[in-house]
Amino acid sequence: LAKTTQPISMDSYEGQEVNITCSHNNIATNDYITWYQQFPSQGPRFIIQGYKTKVTNEVASLFIPADRKSSTLSLPRVSLSDTAVYYCLVGVPNSGYSTLTFGKGTMLLVSP
Amino acid sequence: EPEVTQTPSHQVTQMGQEVILRCVPISNHLYFYWYRQILGQKVEFLVSFYNNEISEKSEIFDDQFSVERPDGSNFTLKIRSTKLEDSAMYFCASMQGGGYEQYFGPGTRLTVT
């Protein structure tokens, strides 16, 4: 599995756009990039997954440059309820045995 | 929206006792997982289960641990003789098919005294 590096913590204010960048210099050709969110005392929740360029869903956008050595999770207009830990994972998702290897993630704190 | 459920939400047990943590995965899912998270630490993979057998397990999942799918809906994690260091939040997850979109339950907080 490719190693990922992301900031330990980030602070933001309500209504702002938040961009969390993840570095994965050793990403393999078949690897996808997946982001999970975890609220305190809850299980992780899938947010978004992508392979290249841009992916958008109702929650977030994921930007992946052409070299795929990094990716950016973009959360538009955050609210207090977006305070959580965000994990970037890299691997091949086409196997049913896709165990998830979580790092320490990025703790996002949204203030009023 | 379908969800993974886990019981109990909190279990307190004495060292050396056996505990069984229960999970009901989403009904049409085929792949099942247990993870744990010690307070303040990373989420760690324990075991994956598919087609009624373990498909992968981590080094944490030693002989004290076992998993079972006793019927078509439940998925259990048994710890035979609990240790203090087993105190953690235990998450069950399930997945429909190939991919990384695993659905996690709310967790069981296990406290070993």
Side-chain angles (χ1 to χ4, degrees), chain B residues 28-46:
Chain B
N28 63 344
H29 284 189
L30 301 176
Y31 302 90
F32 313 109
Y33 308 83
W34 283 100
Y35 294 81
R36 80 170 185 191
Q37 186 173 32
I38 296 171
L39 188 64
Q41 298 189 23
K42 300 186 298 185
V43 177
E44 301 174 290
F45 165 74
L46 293 178

Side-chain angles (χ1 to χ4, degrees), chain A residues 1 32 34 36 38 41-46 49 87 89-104, chain B residues 31 33 35 37 41-45 47-48 50 55-56 89 91 95 97-107 109:
Chain A
L1 290 171
Y32 279 65
T34 309
Y36 273 77
Q38 185 181 26
S41 298
Q42 293 188 28
R45 183 176 77 108
F46 173 90
Q49 180 178 284
Y87 300 97
L89 295 88
V90 172
V92 181
N94 59 1
S95 164
Y97 310 139
S98 301
T99 62
L100 299 175
T101 301
F102 290 88
K104 295 183 179 178
Chain B
Y31 302 90
Y33 308 83
Y35 294 81
Q37 186 173 32
Q41 298 189 23
K42 300 186 298 185
V43 177
E44 301 174 290
F45 165 74
V47 65
S48 59
Y50 169 72
S55 45
E56 190 174 352
M89 184 77 94
F91 295 109
M95 185 169 70
Y100 265 179
E101 189 168 352
Q102 294 183 16
Y103 291 79
F104 283 74
R109 180 169 298 284

Side-chain angles (χ1 to χ4, degrees), chain B residues 73-110:
Chain B
S73 60
N74 292 284
F75 180 49
T76 62
L77 174 70
K78 183 194 290 187
I79 309 175
R80 259 180 276 282
S81 178
T82 50
K83 308 184 188 75
L84 294 176
E85 54 265 37
D86 293 327
S87 294
M89 184 77 94
Y90 287 80
F91 295 109
C92 171
S94 69
M95 185 169 70
Q96 185 175 31
Y100 265 179
E101 189 168 352
Q102 294 183 16
Y103 291 79
F104 283 74
T108 293
R109 180 169 298 284
L110 177 65

Side-chain angles (χ1 to χ4, degrees), chain A residues 42-80:
Chain A
Q42 293 188 28
R45 183 176 77 108
F46 173 90
I47 302 176
I48 198 166
Q49 180 178 284
Y51 182 80
K52 61 179 180 180
T53 61
K54 177 183 174 183
V55 179
T56 297
N57 62 22
E58 64 277 5
V59 176
S61 294
L62 178 59
F63 297 92
I64 306 167
D67 68 4
R68 304 199 329 121
K69 292 185 184 301
S70 67
S71 59
T72 300
L73 175 73
S74 181
L75 304 171
R77 297 179 299 282
V78 294
S79 63
L80 297 178

